[in-house]
Amino acid sequence: MSEIEIPKHVAIIMDGNGRWAKERGLNRTAGHEEGAKTVRKITSYCSDIGIKYLTLYAFSTENWERPKLEVEFLMKLLDRYLKKELSVYLENNIKFKAIGDISRFSKTLQNTIYETQNKTASCTGLTQVLALNYGSKNEIIRAIKKLNELNLEVTEENFETCLDTAGMGDVDILIRTSGEVRLSNYLLWQNAYAEMFFTQTYWPDFNESELDDILSDFSNRERRFGAI
Ligand code: FPP
């Protein structure tokens, strides 16, 4: 991979768990379970190749509209995943961070999230960022309120310090799996100059080799950031 330019920040909309399961005659939850395995695999790979931030859309502000049982399953899966993953984060120097408004989650899940953040706070390798009860419009409104509270001048720099992603910088590569071509309220500000990749692959089937292809394509793209 020596000729490949490694981006600093990769963001992924992990889509297609439900369809993956349906195609196999399984319950949607089986797709989420398999999707969690892909999270583990892709996080490990991004850590190995030196990506600094991997931001994954795990639960949106709109996902509460799903059937109660599916929402409950996702909450439990998340809690189980974070507890199991802690040793892997620490072994691999991976920092964990949540973005979004987690105050709507159960106290148990909030505690697991805070504990995982605190215990991995001094890790210096990849930061795995999970977007949880995240919506970009919601984040932007919260950031504006914070900017006002702090009585800061309205500048791009000050605004960015009030976003959940403060200090992480913009997204370099945005990937969405499953063939859908939209942003779905994800990192609207941070994706301003992102190179975007849309793949037909369902998230549970996404793998390192497909990410390699995207990184290779990214390396060949000329990013002009509005200049010529
Ligand atoms: C989209 O697929 C996926 C989600 C809404 C949730 C993402 C969750 C995971 C990848 C698994 C758990 C994550 C962690 C970090 C443990 P969909 O259900 O919308 O699929 P569909 O569009 O085919 O119905």
Side-chain angles (χ1 to χ4, degrees):
M1 294 263 300
S2 57
E3 75 286 6
I4 298 286
E5 181 195 343
I6 298 299
K8 182 176 167 211
H9 189 171
V10 174
I12 308 184
I13 301 176
M14 311 181 285
D15 202 0
N17 293 347
R19 279 163 286 168
W20 181 92
K22 198 175 168 206
E23 280 186 6
R24 286 159 181 78
L26 301 169
N27 195 297
R28 292 177 56 79
T29 52
H32 296 316
E33 195 79 58
E34 201 63 24
K37 291 184 194 161
T38 310
V39 171
R40 179 172 298 121
K41 184 172 67 183
I42 293 299
T43 299
S44 158
Y45 189 61
C46 288
S47 161
D48 288 350
I49 64 175
I51 288 170
K52 189 66 196 148
Y53 296 101
L54 174 66
T55 306
L56 303 169
Y57 210 174
F59 195 86
S60 76
T61 45
E62 289 73 34
N63 285 154
W64 296 105
E65 305 304 322
R66 294 186 174 215
K68 194 166 170 269
L69 280 179
E70 183 173 342
V71 171
E72 279 174 9
F73 180 87
L74 280 167
M75 298 296 128
K76 282 193 188 128
L77 177 61
L78 202 58
D79 194 67
R80 180 156 46 88
Y81 177 85
L82 290 176
K83 282 180 175 140
K84 191 164 171 220
E85 224 51 19
L86 181 62
S87 60
V88 179
Y89 291 137
L90 295 173
E91 265 164 40
N92 294 284
N93 196 23
I94 295 171
K95 188 188 291 196
F96 167 76
K97 179 181 164 66
I99 58 169
D101 178 8
I102 62 165
S103 64
R104 197 172 160 183
F105 291 150
S106 70
K107 283 277 169 280
T108 313
L109 181 53
Q110 287 185 47
N111 283 341
T112 305
I113 291 167
Y114 287 130
E115 215 174 294
T116 314
Q117 284 188 158
N118 293 340
K119 288 189 170 154
T120 61
S122 56
C123 293
T124 55
L126 172 81
T127 301
Q128 184 207 53
V129 183
L130 290 189
L132 299 169
N133 190 26
Y134 177 86
S136 194
K137 290 186 177 183
N138 171 283
E139 179 194 27
I140 287 169
I141 296 296
R142 286 188 288 107
I144 292 169
K145 286 183 180 162
K146 202 165 159 189
L147 201 68
N148 276 336
E149 274 165 27
L150 297 171
N151 211 9
L152 290 171
E153 191 191 342
V154 182
T155 63
E156 288 188 16
E157 290 74 20
N158 285 342
F159 180 73
E160 278 168 4
T161 65
C162 295
L163 288 169
D164 295 350
T165 54
M168 290 166 49
D170 279 351
V171 172
D172 296 305
I173 293 182
L174 182 273
I175 302 168
R176 183 171 190 148
T177 57
S178 92
E180 309 294 345
V181 184
R182 53 178 176 269
L183 276 178
S184 298
N185 201 12
Y186 194 44
L187 303 169
L188 301 179
W189 174 280
Q190 298 88 338
N191 274 313
Y193 286 101
E195 294 293 326
M196 301 198 178
F197 296 84
F198 299 93
T199 165
Q200 297 295 321
T201 308
Y202 293 147
W203 176 248
D205 288 331
F206 191 76
N207 60 24
E208 297 91 333
S209 140
E210 194 163 0
L211 181 54
D212 271 350
D213 290 344
I214 289 172
L215 295 177
S216 171
D217 193 344
F218 170 76
S219 302
N220 293 323
R221 288 194 189 182
E222 191 192 348
R223 301 179 82 199
R224 294 199 299 272
F225 299 95
I228 51 171

PDB file of all heavy atoms in Angstrom, residues 14-19 28 32 35-36 39 57-58 63 66 70 74 77-78 81 130 203, ligand 1:
ATOM      1  N   MET A  14     -23.132   3.120   7.394  1.00  0.00           N
ATOM      2  CA  MET A  14     -23.176   1.646   7.330  1.00  0.00           C
ATOM      3  C   MET A  14     -24.611   1.233   7.028  1.00  0.00           C
ATOM      4  O   MET A  14     -25.422   1.093   7.924  1.00  0.00           O
ATOM      5  CB  MET A  14     -22.735   1.066   8.678  1.00  0.00           C
ATOM      6  CG  MET A  14     -21.435   1.657   9.208  1.00  0.00           C
ATOM      7  SD  MET A  14     -20.936   0.922  10.775  1.00  0.00           S
ATOM      8  CE  MET A  14     -22.068   1.662  11.940  1.00  0.00           C
ATOM      9  N   ASP A  15     -24.910   1.028   5.763  1.00  0.00           N
ATOM     10  CA  ASP A  15     -26.298   0.774   5.378  1.00  0.00           C
ATOM     11  C   ASP A  15     -26.434  -0.620   4.754  1.00  0.00           C
ATOM     12  O   ASP A  15     -25.500  -1.122   4.135  1.00  0.00           O
ATOM     13  CB  ASP A  15     -26.722   1.852   4.365  1.00  0.00           C
ATOM     14  CG  ASP A  15     -28.229   2.009   4.301  1.00  0.00           C
ATOM     15  OD1 ASP A  15     -28.942   1.301   5.030  1.00  0.00           O
ATOM     16  OD2 ASP A  15     -28.693   2.846   3.501  1.00  0.00           O
ATOM     17  N   GLY A  16     -27.605  -1.207   4.922  1.00  0.00           N
ATOM     18  CA  GLY A  16     -27.905  -2.471   4.235  1.00  0.00           C
ATOM     19  C   GLY A  16     -27.944  -3.693   5.141  1.00  0.00           C
ATOM     20  O   GLY A  16     -28.079  -4.812   4.642  1.00  0.00           O
ATOM     21  N   ASN A  17     -27.874  -3.495   6.450  1.00  0.00           N
ATOM     22  CA  ASN A  17     -27.937  -4.656   7.365  1.00  0.00           C
ATOM     23  C   ASN A  17     -29.254  -5.410   7.212  1.00  0.00           C
ATOM     24  O   ASN A  17     -29.277  -6.646   7.184  1.00  0.00           O
ATOM     25  CB  ASN A  17     -27.837  -4.195   8.825  1.00  0.00           C
ATOM     26  CG  ASN A  17     -26.493  -3.608   9.165  1.00  0.00           C
ATOM     27  OD1 ASN A  17     -25.547  -3.741   8.410  1.00  0.00           O
ATOM     28  ND2 ASN A  17     -26.402  -2.943  10.317  1.00  0.00           N
ATOM     29  N   GLY A  18     -30.345  -4.646   7.117  1.00  0.00           N
ATOM     30  CA  GLY A  18     -31.673  -5.246   7.032  1.00  0.00           C
ATOM     31  C   GLY A  18     -31.817  -6.065   5.755  1.00  0.00           C
ATOM     32  O   GLY A  18     -32.296  -7.208   5.784  1.00  0.00           O
ATOM     33  N   ARG A  19     -31.414  -5.475   4.615  1.00  0.00           N
ATOM     34  CA  ARG A  19     -31.534  -6.177   3.335  1.00  0.00           C
ATOM     35  C   ARG A  19     -30.621  -7.397   3.288  1.00  0.00           C
ATOM     36  O   ARG A  19     -30.958  -8.428   2.716  1.00  0.00           O
ATOM     37  CB  ARG A  19     -31.237  -5.209   2.176  1.00  0.00           C
ATOM     38  CG  ARG A  19     -32.430  -4.332   1.822  1.00  0.00           C
ATOM     39  CD  ARG A  19     -32.030  -3.137   1.011  1.00  0.00           C
ATOM     40  NE  ARG A  19     -31.349  -2.134   1.827  1.00  0.00           N
ATOM     41  CZ  ARG A  19     -30.688  -1.101   1.336  1.00  0.00           C
ATOM     42  NH1 ARG A  19     -30.590  -0.955   0.034  1.00  0.00           N
ATOM     43  NH2 ARG A  19     -30.122  -0.228   2.145  1.00  0.00           N
ATOM     44  N   ARG A  28     -34.051  -9.070  10.723  1.00  0.00           N
ATOM     45  CA  ARG A  28     -33.206  -7.886  10.537  1.00  0.00           C
ATOM     46  C   ARG A  28     -32.083  -7.805  11.583  1.00  0.00           C
ATOM     47  O   ARG A  28     -30.987  -7.337  11.298  1.00  0.00           O
ATOM     48  CB  ARG A  28     -34.046  -6.607  10.634  1.00  0.00           C
ATOM     49  CG  ARG A  28     -35.038  -6.403   9.509  1.00  0.00           C
ATOM     50  CD  ARG A  28     -35.857  -5.138   9.756  1.00  0.00           C
ATOM     51  NE  ARG A  28     -35.020  -3.966   9.936  1.00  0.00           N
ATOM     52  CZ  ARG A  28     -34.456  -3.289   8.938  1.00  0.00           C
ATOM     53  NH1 ARG A  28     -34.677  -3.657   7.692  1.00  0.00           N
ATOM     54  NH2 ARG A  28     -33.704  -2.232   9.184  1.00  0.00           N
ATOM     55  N   HIS A  32     -27.839  -6.745  11.803  1.00  0.00           N
ATOM     56  CA  HIS A  32     -27.115  -5.821  12.693  1.00  0.00           C
ATOM     57  C   HIS A  32     -25.972  -6.551  13.416  1.00  0.00           C
ATOM     58  O   HIS A  32     -24.887  -6.010  13.593  1.00  0.00           O
ATOM     59  CB  HIS A  32     -28.081  -5.195  13.704  1.00  0.00           C
ATOM     60  CG  HIS A  32     -29.139  -4.337  13.073  1.00  0.00           C
ATOM     61  ND1 HIS A  32     -28.859  -3.434  12.077  1.00  0.00           N
ATOM     62  CD2 HIS A  32     -30.482  -4.262  13.283  1.00  0.00           C
ATOM     63  CE1 HIS A  32     -29.987  -2.821  11.708  1.00  0.00           C
ATOM     64  NE2 HIS A  32     -30.977  -3.305  12.420  1.00  0.00           N
ATOM     65  N   GLY A  35     -23.359  -6.882  11.024  1.00  0.00           N
ATOM     66  CA  GLY A  35     -22.814  -5.541  10.800  1.00  0.00           C
ATOM     67  C   GLY A  35     -21.807  -5.166  11.881  1.00  0.00           C
ATOM     68  O   GLY A  35     -20.800  -4.509  11.617  1.00  0.00           O
ATOM     69  N   ALA A  36     -22.078  -5.587  13.114  1.00  0.00           N
ATOM     70  CA  ALA A  36     -21.154  -5.289  14.220  1.00  0.00           C
ATOM     71  C   ALA A  36     -19.803  -5.971  13.975  1.00  0.00           C
ATOM     72  O   ALA A  36     -18.738  -5.425  14.307  1.00  0.00           O
ATOM     73  CB  ALA A  36     -21.759  -5.747  15.542  1.00  0.00           C
ATOM     74  N   VAL A  39     -17.924  -3.815  11.682  1.00  0.00           N
ATOM     75  CA  VAL A  39     -17.392  -2.657  12.412  1.00  0.00           C
ATOM     76  C   VAL A  39     -16.033  -3.021  13.013  1.00  0.00           C
ATOM     77  O   VAL A  39     -15.044  -2.290  12.880  1.00  0.00           O
ATOM     78  CB  VAL A  39     -18.374  -2.191  13.527  1.00  0.00           C
ATOM     79  CG1 VAL A  39     -17.722  -1.145  14.427  1.00  0.00           C
ATOM     80  CG2 VAL A  39     -19.663  -1.632  12.917  1.00  0.00           C
ATOM     81  N   TYR A  57     -21.662   5.809  11.356  1.00  0.00           N
ATOM     82  CA  TYR A  57     -23.045   6.182  11.688  1.00  0.00           C
ATOM     83  C   TYR A  57     -23.748   4.953  12.254  1.00  0.00           C
ATOM     84  O   TYR A  57     -24.173   4.063  11.519  1.00  0.00           O
ATOM     85  CB  TYR A  57     -23.737   6.622  10.400  1.00  0.00           C
ATOM     86  CG  TYR A  57     -24.824   7.661  10.532  1.00  0.00           C
ATOM     87  CD1 TYR A  57     -25.423   8.206   9.400  1.00  0.00           C
ATOM     88  CD2 TYR A  57     -25.255   8.134  11.767  1.00  0.00           C
ATOM     89  CE1 TYR A  57     -26.412   9.177   9.477  1.00  0.00           C
ATOM     90  CE2 TYR A  57     -26.242   9.114  11.858  1.00  0.00           C
ATOM     91  CZ  TYR A  57     -26.821   9.621  10.715  1.00  0.00           C
ATOM     92  OH  TYR A  57     -27.789  10.595  10.799  1.00  0.00           O
ATOM     93  N   ALA A  58     -23.855   4.885  13.572  1.00  0.00           N
ATOM     94  CA  ALA A  58     -24.395   3.673  14.194  1.00  0.00           C
ATOM     95  C   ALA A  58     -25.870   3.809  14.574  1.00  0.00           C
ATOM     96  O   ALA A  58     -26.596   2.808  14.610  1.00  0.00           O
ATOM     97  CB  ALA A  58     -23.574   3.311  15.433  1.00  0.00           C
ATOM     98  N   ASN A  63     -33.584   7.048  13.698  1.00  0.00           N
ATOM     99  CA  ASN A  63     -33.714   5.593  13.899  1.00  0.00           C
ATOM    100  C   ASN A  63     -34.669   5.205  15.039  1.00  0.00           C
ATOM    101  O   ASN A  63     -35.085   4.047  15.140  1.00  0.00           O
ATOM    102  CB  ASN A  63     -32.348   4.940  14.143  1.00  0.00           C
ATOM    103  CG  ASN A  63     -31.505   4.803  12.888  1.00  0.00           C
ATOM    104  OD1 ASN A  63     -30.275   4.762  12.934  1.00  0.00           O
ATOM    105  ND2 ASN A  63     -32.158   4.741  11.734  1.00  0.00           N
ATOM    106  N   ARG A  66     -37.928   3.298  14.212  1.00  0.00           N
ATOM    107  CA  ARG A  66     -37.976   1.864  13.873  1.00  0.00           C
ATOM    108  C   ARG A  66     -38.794   1.098  14.923  1.00  0.00           C
ATOM    109  O   ARG A  66     -39.009   1.593  16.025  1.00  0.00           O
ATOM    110  CB  ARG A  66     -36.548   1.312  13.834  1.00  0.00           C
ATOM    111  CG  ARG A  66     -35.784   1.930  12.701  1.00  0.00           C
ATOM    112  CD  ARG A  66     -34.425   1.315  12.520  1.00  0.00           C
ATOM    113  NE  ARG A  66     -33.849   1.888  11.316  1.00  0.00           N
ATOM    114  CZ  ARG A  66     -33.077   1.250  10.458  1.00  0.00           C
ATOM    115  NH1 ARG A  66     -32.724   0.008  10.690  1.00  0.00           N
ATOM    116  NH2 ARG A  66     -32.605   1.846   9.393  1.00  0.00           N
ATOM    117  N   GLU A  70     -36.560  -3.617  17.452  1.00  0.00           N
ATOM    118  CA  GLU A  70     -35.294  -3.415  16.724  1.00  0.00           C
ATOM    119  C   GLU A  70     -34.433  -2.367  17.430  1.00  0.00           C
ATOM    120  O   GLU A  70     -33.213  -2.533  17.562  1.00  0.00           O
ATOM    121  CB  GLU A  70     -35.561  -3.003  15.266  1.00  0.00           C
ATOM    122  CG  GLU A  70     -34.263  -2.857  14.469  1.00  0.00           C
ATOM    123  CD  GLU A  70     -34.471  -2.618  12.985  1.00  0.00           C
ATOM    124  OE1 GLU A  70     -35.570  -2.890  12.464  1.00  0.00           O
ATOM    125  OE2 GLU A  70     -33.502  -2.153  12.340  1.00  0.00           O
ATOM    126  N   LEU A  74     -30.737  -2.926  19.000  1.00  0.00           N
ATOM    127  CA  LEU A  74     -29.549  -2.123  18.650  1.00  0.00           C
ATOM    128  C   LEU A  74     -28.881  -1.562  19.908  1.00  0.00           C
ATOM    129  O   LEU A  74     -27.645  -1.526  20.012  1.00  0.00           O
ATOM    130  CB  LEU A  74     -29.947  -0.986  17.700  1.00  0.00           C
ATOM    131  CG  LEU A  74     -30.118  -1.389  16.231  1.00  0.00           C
ATOM    132  CD1 LEU A  74     -30.803  -0.285  15.434  1.00  0.00           C
ATOM    133  CD2 LEU A  74     -28.770  -1.733  15.594  1.00  0.00           C
ATOM    134  N   LEU A  77     -27.071  -4.399  21.589  1.00  0.00           N
ATOM    135  CA  LEU A  77     -25.913  -4.785  20.778  1.00  0.00           C
ATOM    136  C   LEU A  77     -24.753  -3.809  21.003  1.00  0.00           C
ATOM    137  O   LEU A  77     -23.596  -4.200  21.159  1.00  0.00           O
ATOM    138  CB  LEU A  77     -26.323  -4.821  19.302  1.00  0.00           C
ATOM    139  CG  LEU A  77     -25.240  -5.124  18.266  1.00  0.00           C
ATOM    140  CD1 LEU A  77     -24.623  -6.502  18.504  1.00  0.00           C
ATOM    141  CD2 LEU A  77     -25.800  -5.064  16.839  1.00  0.00           C
ATOM    142  N   LEU A  78     -25.103  -2.550  21.042  1.00  0.00           N
ATOM    143  CA  LEU A  78     -24.101  -1.501  21.242  1.00  0.00           C
ATOM    144  C   LEU A  78     -23.406  -1.652  22.598  1.00  0.00           C
ATOM    145  O   LEU A  78     -22.175  -1.595  22.702  1.00  0.00           O
ATOM    146  CB  LEU A  78     -24.842  -0.159  21.172  1.00  0.00           C
ATOM    147  CG  LEU A  78     -24.050   1.060  20.837  1.00  0.00           C
ATOM    148  CD1 LEU A  78     -23.355   0.887  19.500  1.00  0.00           C
ATOM    149  CD2 LEU A  78     -24.992   2.261  20.761  1.00  0.00           C
ATOM    150  N   TYR A  81     -21.278  -4.694  22.523  1.00  0.00           N
ATOM    151  CA  TYR A  81     -20.116  -4.469  21.656  1.00  0.00           C
ATOM    152  C   TYR A  81     -19.038  -3.663  22.396  1.00  0.00           C
ATOM    153  O   TYR A  81     -17.864  -4.030  22.403  1.00  0.00           O
ATOM    154  CB  TYR A  81     -20.562  -3.729  20.387  1.00  0.00           C
ATOM    155  CG  TYR A  81     -19.420  -3.392  19.455  1.00  0.00           C
ATOM    156  CD1 TYR A  81     -18.960  -4.309  18.517  1.00  0.00           C
ATOM    157  CD2 TYR A  81     -18.780  -2.149  19.521  1.00  0.00           C
ATOM    158  CE1 TYR A  81     -17.906  -4.004  17.665  1.00  0.00           C
ATOM    159  CE2 TYR A  81     -17.726  -1.832  18.672  1.00  0.00           C
ATOM    160  CZ  TYR A  81     -17.300  -2.773  17.751  1.00  0.00           C
ATOM    161  OH  TYR A  81     -16.245  -2.467  16.923  1.00  0.00           O
ATOM    162  N   LEU A 130     -18.188   6.737  17.111  1.00  0.00           N
ATOM    163  CA  LEU A 130     -19.517   6.220  16.785  1.00  0.00           C
ATOM    164  C   LEU A 130     -20.529   7.351  16.889  1.00  0.00           C
ATOM    165  O   LEU A 130     -20.584   8.055  17.913  1.00  0.00           O
ATOM    166  CB  LEU A 130     -19.911   5.088  17.734  1.00  0.00           C
ATOM    167  CG  LEU A 130     -19.164   3.759  17.618  1.00  0.00           C
ATOM    168  CD1 LEU A 130     -19.839   2.701  18.487  1.00  0.00           C
ATOM    169  CD2 LEU A 130     -19.077   3.255  16.171  1.00  0.00           C
ATOM    170  N   TRP A 203     -23.548  -3.457   4.128  1.00  0.00           N
ATOM    171  CA  TRP A 203     -22.520  -3.275   5.151  1.00  0.00           C
ATOM    172  C   TRP A 203     -21.938  -4.592   5.698  1.00  0.00           C
ATOM    173  O   TRP A 203     -20.717  -4.730   5.805  1.00  0.00           O
ATOM    174  CB  TRP A 203     -23.039  -2.383   6.302  1.00  0.00           C
ATOM    175  CG  TRP A 203     -22.045  -2.260   7.409  1.00  0.00           C
ATOM    176  CD1 TRP A 203     -22.152  -2.762   8.664  1.00  0.00           C
ATOM    177  CD2 TRP A 203     -20.745  -1.617   7.344  1.00  0.00           C
ATOM    178  NE1 TRP A 203     -21.021  -2.478   9.393  1.00  0.00           N
ATOM    179  CE2 TRP A 203     -20.146  -1.779   8.612  1.00  0.00           C
ATOM    180  CE3 TRP A 203     -20.041  -0.939   6.346  1.00  0.00           C
ATOM    181  CZ2 TRP A 203     -18.884  -1.272   8.913  1.00  0.00           C
ATOM    182  CZ3 TRP A 203     -18.769  -0.440   6.645  1.00  0.00           C
ATOM    183  CH2 TRP A 203     -18.206  -0.612   7.914  1.00  0.00           C
TER     184      TRP A 203
HETATM  185  C1  FPP B   1     -28.391   0.514   8.532  1.00  0.00           C
HETATM  186  O1  FPP B   1     -28.892  -0.690   8.011  1.00  0.00           O
HETATM  187  C2  FPP B   1     -27.770   0.304   9.804  1.00  0.00           C
HETATM  188  C3  FPP B   1     -28.168   0.873  10.987  1.00  0.00           C
HETATM  189  C4  FPP B   1     -29.303   1.772  11.134  1.00  0.00           C
HETATM  190  C5  FPP B   1     -27.483   0.609  12.240  1.00  0.00           C
HETATM  191  C6  FPP B   1     -26.010   0.405  12.131  1.00  0.00           C
HETATM  192  C7  FPP B   1     -25.651  -0.644  13.088  1.00  0.00           C
HETATM  193  C8  FPP B   1     -24.675  -1.554  12.926  1.00  0.00           C
HETATM  194  C9  FPP B   1     -23.743  -1.536  11.776  1.00  0.00           C
HETATM  195  C10 FPP B   1     -24.476  -2.669  13.866  1.00  0.00           C
HETATM  196  C11 FPP B   1     -24.142  -2.279  15.252  1.00  0.00           C
HETATM  197  C12 FPP B   1     -23.058  -1.287  15.361  1.00  0.00           C
HETATM  198  C13 FPP B   1     -22.142  -1.295  16.337  1.00  0.00           C
HETATM  199  C14 FPP B   1     -21.152  -0.202  16.423  1.00  0.00           C
HETATM  200  C15 FPP B   1     -22.070  -2.365  17.319  1.00  0.00           C
HETATM  201  P1  FPP B   1     -30.440  -0.814   7.834  1.00  0.00           P
HETATM  202  O2  FPP B   1     -30.997  -1.502   9.024  1.00  0.00           O
HETATM  203  O3  FPP B   1     -31.032   0.525   7.553  1.00  0.00           O
HETATM  204  O4  FPP B   1     -30.519  -1.726   6.557  1.00  0.00           O
HETATM  205  P2  FPP B   1     -31.609  -1.671   5.418  1.00  0.00           P
HETATM  206  O5  FPP B   1     -31.542  -0.303   4.803  1.00  0.00           O
HETATM  207  O6  FPP B   1     -31.178  -2.736   4.484  1.00  0.00           O
HETATM  208  O7  FPP B   1     -32.921  -1.940   6.065  1.00  0.00           O
END
